[in-house]
């Protein structure tokens, strides 16, 4: 941990380096910024109630680099609207200065030089510091801490402890309630076990038993905070059974269940709630639509799509909050409640700059204790990277290019497919690729790297199916993550077209020849939702590849041509 | 919505493994129905009579979680009295081997015209519901259910 003083010195030094190395105006401007814990947590309090929101931590106990997307297209009504803005458009909309700390945290361009200046973000010990500071300022009885889910998956320690590491952290943070998605990939028995034992509420109004359509979890809970009754309704990812292996929770059904949310809202009001909060894992565009159709929700705490917005978005009377991912941000929303309604609000997306925020000693100790048994694996250096390795973005990321290269090489395949997950950290040029870094991009409970044959026609159908899950103009029909990443093959996509008309120009990159519809290609991939998928875990495949290449150098991927956006 | 009907490519993909999750639910190669087949079924029952919109609440998922057992709930707005009740409700699918899913018949004694069941869907397609009222009026609605390969989620 760098102290604040050291941080300032480091920043000053970076400033010199920046000008000396000709990083340009962005690098210099960035390096001239000054940041402190006080700047990050400074807030002009309003009313008595504070809601804190953290989401999509993906089991990141430690600070990480996480590059926000440079491509994040909105379709239909979401086209060109926040959060579907990147870089310059994003900064213009939210009035963020290029090269500033906020620009580094929220946008992707100039990431490498800004990362050098501003350092890693997140870390549960830093988040604990911010949470404790808000509780101390406002009083425990006035603060509600809500976790939007995707908390128990995404690291080696969470995989090895079946999510127990994160449950212990959530318990220590004293979260009040959580929502869910990747949690279900621990299997139904484990989820039930945690939900029943945990000191926080596991809320999911939209999970039903398949046979009898009975609720599986508590739908909502009323908390008395800040002199108000706050009803929190939980919503799991509606597409969990489609996006992830249904066989891991075979007796459960999901869905949006809009009418049931309305019922929960109405029942909350009837039970005397002053404020109704949807702790959602729907994804931003689904929540935007839902807010226009379900009446009486005061606040939707969005998740799933990993969007971070430094301001709220209002749909009618409903406030939508987007708190980012990987522990990069903690949202604070103060509500002024008068006459059983929200009379005013004030919001801040607090960026968790790990070099500016002191570590909370108790949480630091807990995190060290969790990691200790896995220290040798976590620190093992597999290779080094000369390139920026990142995943997040609609079409491709260099970390996925690496994984796709590894699969084609180690599994002797012509074409490789890697799922468009939104989780996984970023490495900057010069970084060691440790096993921990690899696990942060791959750790999950169905990691087998399969090898199979598919015809060109079948590959086309797969790309069309996944594309429709992202770019269906009605968000209620969207299914999961970003576009599947493809190795060894290029293609064009017209985002504006309907299903089965978006993908064209599929080309084998090695030969430059068009993919033939009837020919069979050897395909490797991982994270199949099929039960009993055979093959080594993906991290073994990538580790073997890295042991051979030793240094990763990746050219920018230009094999996907996108139009119609 | 345009018809989602396609040739056999989809079924081949799903049987191929890899990302495929739904292989088990797909029928072996056989011809699938289309919009015209559904229209023909309705004509068989009611000739050229006009179909009006409204009164039907058709509840199907936007995306099927398991194409083998897709839940469907249907409810028709009616007082269900002797002089104004729902006589029959028919459900069709325009992308299954056979367009007919289920037909329900009601009497005023039913109290309300509501029914629920599960259906198997071979692919993304429209579910069409027709309700026949005691005065001879027909109501119709349709809703698309997406059957997806799945995976790659968030």
């Amino acid at each position: 941990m760098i102290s604040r003083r050291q941080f300032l010195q480091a920043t000053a030094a970076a400033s010199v380096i920046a000008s000396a190395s000709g990083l340009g105006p962005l690098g210099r401007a960035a390096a001239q910024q000054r940041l402190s814990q006080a700047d990050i947590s400074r807030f002009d309090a309003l009313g008595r109630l504070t809601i804190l929101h953290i989401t999509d931590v993906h089991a990141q106990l430690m600070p990480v680099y996480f590059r926000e997307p440079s491509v994040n297209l909105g379709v239909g009504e979401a086209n060109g609207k926040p959060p579907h803005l990147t870089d310059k458009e994003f900064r213009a909309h939210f009035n963020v200065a290029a090269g500033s700390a906020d620009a580094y945290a929220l946008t992707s361009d100039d990431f490498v030089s800004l990362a050098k200046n501003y350092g890693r973000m997140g870390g549960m010990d830093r988040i604990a510091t911010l949470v404790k500071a808000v509780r101390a300022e406002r009083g425990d009885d006035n603060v509600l801490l809500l976790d939007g889910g995707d908390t128990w998956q995404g690291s080696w320690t969470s995989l090895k402890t079946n999510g127990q590491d994160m449950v212990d952290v959530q318990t220590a943070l004293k979260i009040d309630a959580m929502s869910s998605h990747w949690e279900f990939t621990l299997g139904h028995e484990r989820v039930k076990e945690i939900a029943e034992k945990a000191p926080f509420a596991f809320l999911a109004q939209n999970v039903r038993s398949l046979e009898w359509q009975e609720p599986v979890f508590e739908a909502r809970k009323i908390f008395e905070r800040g002199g108000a009754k706050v009803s929190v309704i939980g919503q799991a990812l509606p597409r969990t059974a489609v996006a992830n292996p249904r066989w891991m929770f075979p007796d459960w059904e999901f869905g949006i269940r809009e009418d049931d949310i309305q019922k929960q809202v109405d029942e909350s009001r009837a039970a005397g709630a002053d404020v109704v909060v949807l702790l959602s894992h729907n994804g931003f565009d689904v929540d935007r639509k839902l807010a226009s159709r379900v009446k009486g929700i005061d606040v939707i705490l969005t998740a799933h799509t990993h969007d971070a917005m430094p301001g709220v978005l209002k749909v009618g009377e409903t406030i939508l909050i987007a708190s980012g991912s990987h522990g990069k941000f903690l949202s604070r929303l103060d509500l002024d409640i008068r006459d059983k309604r929200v009379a005013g609000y004030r919001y801040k997306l607090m960026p968790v700059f790990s070099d500016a925020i002191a570590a909370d000693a108790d949480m630091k100790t807990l995190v060290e204790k969790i990691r200790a048994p896995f220290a040798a694996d976590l620190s093992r250096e597999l290779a080094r990277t000369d390139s920026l390795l990142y995943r997040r973005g609609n079409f491709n990321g260099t970390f996925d290019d690496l994984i796709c290269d590894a699969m084609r090489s180690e599994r002797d395949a012509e074409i490789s497919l890697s799922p468009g997950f939104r989780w996984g950290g970023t490495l900057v040029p010069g970084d060691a690729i440790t096993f921990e870094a690899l696990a942060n991009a791959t750790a999950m409970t169905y990691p087998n790297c399969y090898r199979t044959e598919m015809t060109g026609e079948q590959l086309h159908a797969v790309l069309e199916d996944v594309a429709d899950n992202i770019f269906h103009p009605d968000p209620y029909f969207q299914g999961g993550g970003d576009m599947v990443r493809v190795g060894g093959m290029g293609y064009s996509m017209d985002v504006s077209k309907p299903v089965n008309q978006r993908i064209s120009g599929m080309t084998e990159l090695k030969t430059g020849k068009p993919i033939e519809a009837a020919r069979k290609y050897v395909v490797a991939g991982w994270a199949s939702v099929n039960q009993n998928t055979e093959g080594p875990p993906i991290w073994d495949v990538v580790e073997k590849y890295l042991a051979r290449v030793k240094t990763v150098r990746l050219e920018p991927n230009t094999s996907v041509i996108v139009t119609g956006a | 919505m345009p018809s989602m009907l396609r040739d056999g490519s989809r079924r081949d993909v799903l049987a191929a493994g890899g990302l495929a999750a739904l292989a088990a639910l797909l029928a072996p190669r056989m011809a699938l129905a289309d919009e015209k087949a559904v229209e023909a079924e309705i004509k068989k029952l009611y000739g050229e009579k006009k179909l009006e919109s409204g009164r039907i609440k058709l509840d199907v998922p936007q995306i099927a979680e398991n194409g083998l057992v897709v839940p469907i709930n249907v409810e028709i707005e009616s007082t269900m009295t002797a002089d104004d009740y729902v006589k029959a409700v028919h459900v069709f699918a325009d992308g299954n081997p056979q367009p007919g899913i289920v037909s329900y018949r009601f009497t005023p004694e039913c109290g309300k015209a509501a029914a629920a069941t599960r259906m198997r869907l071979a692919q993304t397609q429209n579910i069409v519901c027709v309700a026949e009222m005691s005065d001879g009026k027909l109501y119709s609605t349709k809703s698309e259910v997406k059957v997806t390969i799945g995976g790659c989620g968030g």
Side-chain angles (χ1 to χ4, degrees):
Chain A
M1 166 61 197
I2 306 177
S3 71
R4 155 131 174 84
R5 194 182 165 79
Q6 285 171 312
F7 176 73
L8 288 179
Q9 287 166 347
T11 313
S15 172
V16 175
I17 295 164
S19 20
S21 66
L23 278 175
L26 285 185
R28 272 196 300 277
Q32 285 159 4
Q33 301 298 314
R34 295 290 179 273
L35 266 175
S36 71
Q37 189 171 312
D39 294 331
I40 291 165
S41 58
R42 183 175 301 123
F43 196 102
D44 189 9
L46 179 76
R48 277 180 64 195
L49 172 65
T50 290
I51 295 174
L52 295 175
H53 181 232
I54 186 166
T55 191
D56 295 84
V57 171
H58 282 287
Q60 297 302 310
L61 296 169
M62 304 295 286
V64 290
Y65 293 120
F66 184 86
R67 175 191 177 275
E68 298 296 331
S70 50
V71 179
N72 182 17
L73 303 176
V75 286
E77 288 182 12
N79 184 252
K81 288 186 192 164
H84 296 283
L85 302 171
T86 54
D87 294 331
K88 204 174 165 189
E89 286 79 20
F90 187 101
R91 290 191 296 268
H93 184 90
F94 289 107
N95 203 16
V96 170
S100 66
D102 281 335
Y104 164 63
L106 294 161
T107 57
S108 75
D109 46 7
D110 208 25
F111 185 84
V112 174
S113 60
L114 295 180
K116 285 190 180 115
N117 292 340
Y118 291 112
R120 292 182 171 83
M121 296 187 69
M124 295 314 297
D125 52 5
R126 273 69 163 193
I127 287 163
T129 297
L130 291 177
V131 168
K132 278 188 183 173
V134 173
R135 284 204 173 112
E137 177 206 328
R138 299 285 272 171
D140 282 355
D141 293 347
N142 300 320
V143 177
L144 194 58
L145 174 58
L146 301 173
D147 179 338
D150 275 4
T151 309
W152 305 345
Q153 174 276 339
S155 74
W156 192 243
T157 54
S158 66
L159 184 70
K160 288 288 147 184
T161 63
N162 278 319
Q164 191 59 46
D165 61 340
M166 296 311 295
V167 174
D168 291 347
V169 165
Q170 288 174 305
T171 302
L173 271 181
K174 298 196 187 107
I175 72 153
D176 291 294
M178 75 179 290
S179 186
S180 51
H181 164 206
W182 275 90
E183 281 68 20
F184 295 101
T185 64
L186 296 180
H188 56 143
E189 286 173 359
R190 177 63 176 149
V191 175
K192 261 284 180 193
E193 182 194 0
I194 298 173
E196 277 159 17
K197 273 200 246 165
F200 47 83
F202 187 97
L203 302 175
Q205 75 84 22
N206 59 331
V207 183
R208 298 281 190 286
S209 69
L210 202 57
E211 178 95 30
W212 298 104
Q213 294 291 295
E214 285 165 344
V216 178
F217 301 99
E218 237 184 316
R220 66 169 193 271
K221 186 169 174 181
I222 291 191
F223 298 89
E224 301 211 5
R225 297 289 156 86
K229 281 189 175 178
V230 186
S231 178
V232 178
I233 302 164
Q235 174 90 339
L237 176 74
R239 306 305 174 210
T240 302
V242 178
N244 305 91
R246 194 166 46 82
W247 60 266
M248 292 182 168
F249 35 89
D251 303 328
W252 296 348
E253 199 177 86
F254 295 73
I256 297 174
R257 299 178 195 270
E258 205 179 59
D259 294 351
D260 292 314
I261 296 179
Q262 186 67 64
K263 219 179 279 175
Q264 292 293 339
V265 174
D266 297 344
E267 286 174 16
S268 298
R269 296 287 182 197
D274 302 296
V275 187
V276 176
V277 175
L278 184 66
L279 180 59
S280 171
H281 206 97
N282 277 332
F284 196 92
D285 292 343
V286 172
D287 280 327
R288 187 201 322 256
K289 178 174 171 182
L290 191 134
S292 71
R293 294 160 62 91
V294 175
K295 300 296 160 209
I297 302 175
D298 295 302
V299 178
I300 301 183
L301 302 168
T302 73
H304 182 58
T305 36
H306 291 193
D307 306 297
M309 294 198 312
V312 311
L313 192 141
K314 278 193 93 175
V315 177
E317 291 301 300
T318 306
I319 298 165
L320 274 70
I321 301 287
S323 307
S325 66
H326 294 76
K328 272 181 80 173
F329 303 97
L330 176 69
S331 275
R332 171 172 175 176
L333 179 68
D334 280 15
L335 295 177
D336 184 15
I337 314 291
R338 289 183 198 182
D339 306 323
K340 303 191 76 64
R341 55 178 290 273
V342 176
Y345 67 89
R346 197 163 289 153
Y347 174 68
K348 184 173 184 180
L349 178 74
M350 291 188 276
V352 186
F353 285 99
S354 65
D355 291 343
I357 298 166
D360 174 72
D362 296 339
M363 187 62 83
K364 187 166 184 269
T365 305
L366 174 60
V367 169
E368 281 168 1
K369 195 182 122 207
I370 288 166
R371 289 167 57 84
F374 310 100
D377 274 332
L378 295 175
S379 61
R380 195 165 78 243
E381 185 175 320
L382 311 179
R384 301 194 78 84
T385 182
D386 283 352
S387 304
L388 174 69
L389 296 182
Y390 65 93
R391 172 175 284 156
R392 181 76 178 98
N394 283 157
F395 295 99
N396 44 43
T398 45
F399 216 123
D400 290 310
D401 291 337
L402 166 63
I403 293 171
C404 283
D405 286 350
M407 283 192 289
R408 285 197 304 134
S409 164
E410 300 305 310
R411 299 290 277 154
D412 192 21
E414 296 169 281
I415 289 166
S416 51
L417 301 173
S418 191
F421 296 138
R422 294 192 181 88
W423 47 269
T426 300
L427 297 178
V428 297
D431 272 0
I433 306 176
T434 60
F435 184 75
E436 175 167 32
L438 174 58
N440 284 346
T442 56
M444 45 112 83
T445 54
Y446 49 107
N448 305 76
C449 178
Y450 61 83
R451 183 177 189 275
T452 189
E453 282 189 334
M454 292 171 87
T455 63
E457 196 177 6
Q458 290 167 343
L459 281 164
H460 183 256
V462 167
L463 294 190
E464 286 284 1
D465 193 274
V466 181
D468 199 54
N469 271 334
I470 309 162
F471 298 117
H472 195 296
D474 181 345
Y476 279 18
F477 284 88
Q478 293 168 8
D482 283 316
M483 187 65 191
V484 60
R485 289 47 168 41
V486 185
M489 185 180 94
Y491 65 91
S492 299
M493 185 194 299
D494 185 340
V495 170
S496 67
K497 290 268 170 43
V499 67
N500 297 325
Q501 294 172 38
R502 292 192 180 96
I503 308 290
S504 63
M506 286 165 54
T507 307
E508 196 181 3
L509 293 178
K510 194 173 63 184
T511 59
K513 284 184 185 161
I515 295 285
E516 294 170 40
R519 208 200 112 185
K520 281 185 174 169
Y521 295 85
V522 178
V523 177
W526 65 290
S528 164
V529 296
N530 285 347
Q531 198 164 5
N532 302 320
T533 298
E534 290 179 10
I538 187 66
W539 48 83
D540 282 357
V541 175
V542 180
E543 181 168 356
K544 268 174 73 183
Y545 176 74
L546 288 173
R548 282 200 299 107
V549 300
K550 291 186 180 66
T551 304
V552 173
R553 272 182 216 99
L554 287 162
E555 297 302 315
N557 187 332
T558 54
S559 63
V560 182
I561 297 158
V562 180
T563 56
Chain B
M1 289 298 292
S3 167
M4 291 292 151
L5 190 71
R6 273 166 290 155
D7 59 15
S9 62
R10 167 75 163 216
R11 279 165 290 148
D12 295 341
V13 173
L14 295 172
L19 291 170
L22 300 176
L25 74 87
L26 291 156
R29 276 183 178 279
M30 57 173 73
L32 298 178
D34 58 14
E35 279 176 67
K36 286 204 176 80
V38 170
E39 282 166 21
E41 288 296 309
I42 297 169
K43 251 177 211 159
K44 260 193 245 169
L45 291 166
Y46 299 115
E48 299 291 337
K49 268 178 113 172
K50 195 182 156 217
L51 300 170
E52 294 177 38
S53 60
R55 294 187 83 156
I56 304 175
K57 194 185 165 208
L58 175 62
D59 183 15
V60 288
Q62 289 100 355
I63 303 180
E65 300 195 359
N66 178 358
L68 283 172
V69 280
V70 182
I72 170 171
N73 286 271
V74 58
E75 188 166 351
I76 319 300
E77 199 185 297
S78 167
T79 54
M80 294 302 274
T81 51
D83 48 4
D84 178 19
Y85 64 97
V86 180
K87 279 178 82 173
V89 172
H90 308 280
V91 179
F92 305 99
D94 68 10
N96 269 3
Q98 296 295 328
I101 296 280
V102 66
S103 291
Y104 297 102
R105 304 200 185 273
F106 298 92
T107 67
E109 284 74 30
C110 293
K112 66 176 188 175
T117 187
R118 304 254 162 169
M119 59 192 167
R120 173 170 164 175
L121 297 181
Q123 61 175 359
T124 298
Q125 58 189 288
N126 291 307
I127 303 305
V128 180
C129 183
V130 176
E132 179 191 358
M133 314 303 284
S134 55
D135 63 2
K137 273 192 178 170
L138 298 177
Y139 291 87
S140 169
T141 190
K142 78 174 170 184
S143 192
E144 189 190 4
V145 178
K146 184 167 161 178
V147 179
T148 172
I149 295 171
C152 304

